[in-house]
Amino acid sequence: MKSFHQLIFALLLGCATASLMACSDDEPTQDPTGLTEKEQALRAAVIPYVDNTVLPTYCGMADAAVELYEQCLSIREKFAAGTLTEADVAEAGNTWKRSRKYWELSEAFLFGPANTHNIDPHIDSWPLDKNAMDALLSDIRSGKPWDIANNAGYGLLGFHSIEYVLFELSEDGNTSHPHNPANYTAEELEYLVAVAKDLRDQCVLLEACWAGTENISDVKQAILEEADLDYGENYGEMMKGAGQAGSIFKTHQSAAEEIIQGCIDIADEVGNTKIGRPNTASGQEDRNYIESPYSLNSIEDFQDNIRSIENSYFGSIAGDASISDYIRSVNPALDAKVRQSIDAALAAIGRIPEPFAKYATGPEATEAVEVVGTDLVNTLNLVMKELGK
């Protein structure tokens, strides 16, 4: 049996292959002759970063979000027919985790479309406001008018609102299990379907904005057309074509710096906000500042954020050119330090017990704040300085 990591790699490789086939006619035609050695090296790194890291990650996330929406439709239909089982809810929960994993693996590249189109806050605002969520669900159950465009707000949309409807915590908070089908109402399943559709649309939009709408599947193109969400953007080509007309990147160095800044931003967020804020809680709001608490997915979320840094810096496929190659050529000690810092961050986060909500103030979390929020951030800042020389 393949390991989970092998399966994820296979999915990434499959999406990467599809993306490369779709985009092969659109590769930048820039001749590297005349570029400095540094620019040639960074150009060589940026192209596989887009093709083999960003595009397959967003492709996998969108594929899973499409599947999740279909499963939520099935949950609603089976509930109406009286045939809904816990296994049906569990299946949707597993698909949620799969799409969620790809999202967390993308958080080192939240620049560009995820930022400019507000897709990040739209699908991943947290922590979930439990009181507001319960009030909304109560209103929906009582038949009060509700519309996703006017009544929810980002805080009650996206991954974490779906998580709240699909997962439940045990009474002691130590385990997570699928929501009891008997406790659903038809009205709140209407909400689940609406939010799952919205998540699907935003995930497909994010893939399209990086790959170009013409390079995603026909099914996904139809989704965007129905949602009127096609922006006609191809951010990936703009990044690969740095220095060419139409690109916002004047040099491949500026593209590489954008990549590293994305890594710095998520390392800082994981260390000093996701782990650090509840770790140094000064009030109830900070103690409840927990990501993915109902699925008990917090630690995996944090580690996948670090893996998104790893993939961005070292590349996702062995043998690909990467920013690591360039840094190693000019400062091998720093390149080795990046590897050491990433490995230390993954290990430190892995030592925090789950449920994170119960151990956020413990010594393991305190250590992770230092290792991720200070050490890894400082190391990545050194990489940025090296790129700027």
Side-chain angles (χ1 to χ4, degrees):
M1 180 180 292
K2 289 184 176 179
S3 71
F4 182 73
H5 291 298
Q6 287 174 315
L7 289 171
I8 286 292
F9 176 78
L11 288 168
L12 284 169
L13 186 59
C15 281
T17 301
S19 298
L20 285 169
M21 289 176 64
C23 300
S24 60
D25 292 336
D26 300 318
E27 285 293 318
T29 57
Q30 180 182 13
D31 184 346
T33 302
L35 296 177
T36 65
E37 248 182 72
K38 178 179 181 179
E39 276 291 289
Q40 290 184 53
L42 293 178
R43 178 182 184 273
V46 167
I47 291 173
Y49 165 79
V50 172
D51 288 338
N52 297 342
T53 293
V54 177
L55 296 186
T57 300
Y58 283 148
C59 173
M61 181 178 72
D63 285 349
V66 170
E67 184 179 347
L68 175 61
Y69 170 65
E70 296 299 327
Q71 289 170 340
C72 289
L73 282 175
S74 178
I75 285 174
R76 184 181 67 179
E77 292 167 3
K78 289 182 177 180
F79 179 85
T83 60
L84 181 64
T85 67
E86 186 175 293
D88 296 319
V89 182
E91 182 181 19
N94 288 334
T95 305
W96 176 91
K97 286 185 176 181
R98 179 153 47 89
S99 188
R100 178 78 186 159
K101 186 172 187 68
Y102 280 115
W103 170 251
E104 296 303 311
L105 287 169
S106 81
E107 289 214 357
F109 30 99
L110 289 182
F111 51 82
N115 176 47
T116 56
H117 301 306
N118 290 322
I119 298 172
D120 176 20
H122 192 138
I123 68 176
D124 195 36
S125 286
W126 58 273
L128 182 76
D129 186 335
K130 184 179 183 302
N131 291 334
M133 186 74 186
D134 287 341
L136 174 63
L137 292 176
S138 178
D139 286 347
I140 292 172
R141 291 185 201 106
S142 68
K144 289 186 179 179
W146 174 82
D147 183 85
I148 197 168
N150 301 319
N151 296 76
Y154 287 163
L156 300 180
L157 295 176
F159 281 109
H160 297 297
S161 58
I162 296 173
E163 176 194 14
Y164 189 68
V165 179
L166 292 180
F167 295 90
E168 290 181 345
L169 290 175
S170 59
E171 198 167 315
D172 61 9
N174 289 329
T175 59
S176 174
H177 56 270
H179 190 98
N180 184 343
N183 293 336
Y184 282 132
T185 66
E187 293 80 11
E188 64 190 336
L189 291 183
E190 290 293 333
Y191 167 82
L192 175 65
V193 168
V195 176
K197 180 179 184 295
D198 182 67
L199 176 69
R200 177 202 68 177
D201 294 350
Q202 292 297 312
C203 289
V204 171
L205 172 62
L206 194 45
E207 181 189 358
C209 284
W210 270 87
T213 304
E214 68 279 8
N215 295 318
I216 63 175
S217 71
D218 291 343
V219 168
K220 291 174 181 174
Q221 290 184 44
I223 287 170
L224 290 185
E225 183 175 358
E226 179 189 0
D228 194 23
L229 278 177
D230 185 2
Y231 294 143
E233 187 174 349
N234 192 328
Y235 194 84
E237 282 301 300
M238 201 160 28
M239 179 169 269
K240 292 191 294 183
Q244 296 182 15
S247 176
I248 63 172
F249 298 99
K250 300 303 181 186
T251 63
H252 299 288
Q253 177 183 324
S254 65
E257 288 172 344
E258 182 84 287
I259 294 168
I260 295 304
Q261 187 60 55
C263 294
I264 293 169
D265 291 344
I266 191 58
D268 178 68
E269 183 178 344
V270 172
N272 296 313
T273 301
K274 293 187 178 188
I275 302 173
R277 184 165 172 177
N279 177 251
T280 56
S282 58
Q284 192 63 43
E285 181 183 347
D286 290 324
R287 284 194 290 273
N288 291 336
Y289 209 81
I290 308 294
E291 189 174 32
S292 303
Y294 303 103
S295 57
L296 297 187
N297 214 56
S298 305
I299 302 304
E300 184 165 352
D301 280 0
F302 304 157
Q303 287 189 313
D304 283 338
N305 287 167
I306 305 305
R307 292 185 184 104
S308 74
I309 297 171
E310 181 177 44
N311 292 340
S312 296
Y313 180 78
F314 290 104
S316 298
I317 298 178
D320 276 352
S322 66
I323 294 175
S324 167
D325 292 337
Y326 171 71
I327 297 298
R328 190 169 61 250
S329 72
V330 295
N331 191 339
L334 176 56
D335 183 66
K337 184 174 176 61
V338 176
R339 167 51 67 197
Q340 181 184 31
S341 296
I342 288 174
D343 288 347
L346 288 168
I349 294 169
R351 286 191 286 271
I352 306 172
E354 191 78 87
F356 178 62
K358 288 193 173 185
Y359 295 96
T361 58
E364 297 90 352
T366 301
E367 177 197 19
V369 171
E370 180 70 20
V371 172
V372 181
T374 299
D375 296 348
L376 180 55
V377 169
N378 287 344
T379 299
L380 292 169
N381 275 316
L382 292 174
V383 172
M384 183 67 88
K385 288 180 181 178
E386 194 65 59
L387 286 173
K389 290 181 179 178

